[in-house]
Amino acid sequence: MDRTVIAYVIYLLVSIGLTIWVARTLSKNGRIFLADVLHGNEKLADAVNHLLVVGFYLVNLGFVALYLSDDETITDARGIFEALSTKLGVVLLVLGVMHLANVYVLNRIRRRGAMEREQVPPVPPQGWVAPQAQA
């Protein structure tokens, strides 16, 4: 078997495995965060969590597929390791950036919700007071 094909197979197996592991980890641990962001609405948190996971898979697996091709021919075992280290390093960086982007957006939503809760008075107003004329 050609060494380039071996490198492709290893790259795909490791990249897809990493993508699945990261998505499951984010989904499992992010559900609690989403429930807090969405004010305890568990059904909505589950739905948003599922949509985020699907989007995560689509973006990352699409990137993995696009980044598969290589113009260089691999001639030895060292070339396999070099090609894999470069490709997998880029995939890991993309996974990390996607994770940070998700956390950033959800944190912004959470902060906005917290600010809105602070602006609502804890007790409705009892009445209205007319402004006084200044002398």
Side-chain angles (χ1 to χ4, degrees), residues 40-125:
N41 189 340
E42 299 289 329
K43 283 185 144 183
L44 184 59
D46 288 338
V48 170
N49 195 21
H50 184 72
L51 290 173
L52 285 171
V53 168
V54 169
F56 186 84
Y57 278 132
L58 289 173
V59 170
N60 286 300
L61 293 177
F63 176 77
V64 165
L66 285 173
Y67 200 61
L68 176 66
S69 67
D70 196 1
D71 294 336
E72 294 182 30
T73 303
I74 299 173
T75 57
D76 56 1
R78 177 181 171 189
I80 291 174
F81 283 107
E82 289 174 354
L84 285 174
S85 68
T86 301
K87 288 186 174 295
L88 291 175
V90 171
V91 168
L92 288 170
L93 287 173
V94 169
L95 286 170
V97 167
M98 287 291 296
H99 169 62
L100 290 175
N102 279 339
V103 170
Y104 177 76
V105 168
L106 290 173
N107 194 37
R108 295 282 304 220
I109 293 170
R110 184 172 167 259
R111 275 191 192 168
R112 187 174 354 154
M115 287 175 54
E116 288 173 1
R117 284 191 299 263
E118 288 176 5
Q119 292 177 355
V120 176
V123 178

Side-chain angles (χ1 to χ4, degrees), residues 5-17:
V5 174
I6 292 171
Y8 286 168
V9 169
I10 294 170
Y11 164 73
L12 284 174
L13 290 174
V14 173
S15 296
I16 291 170

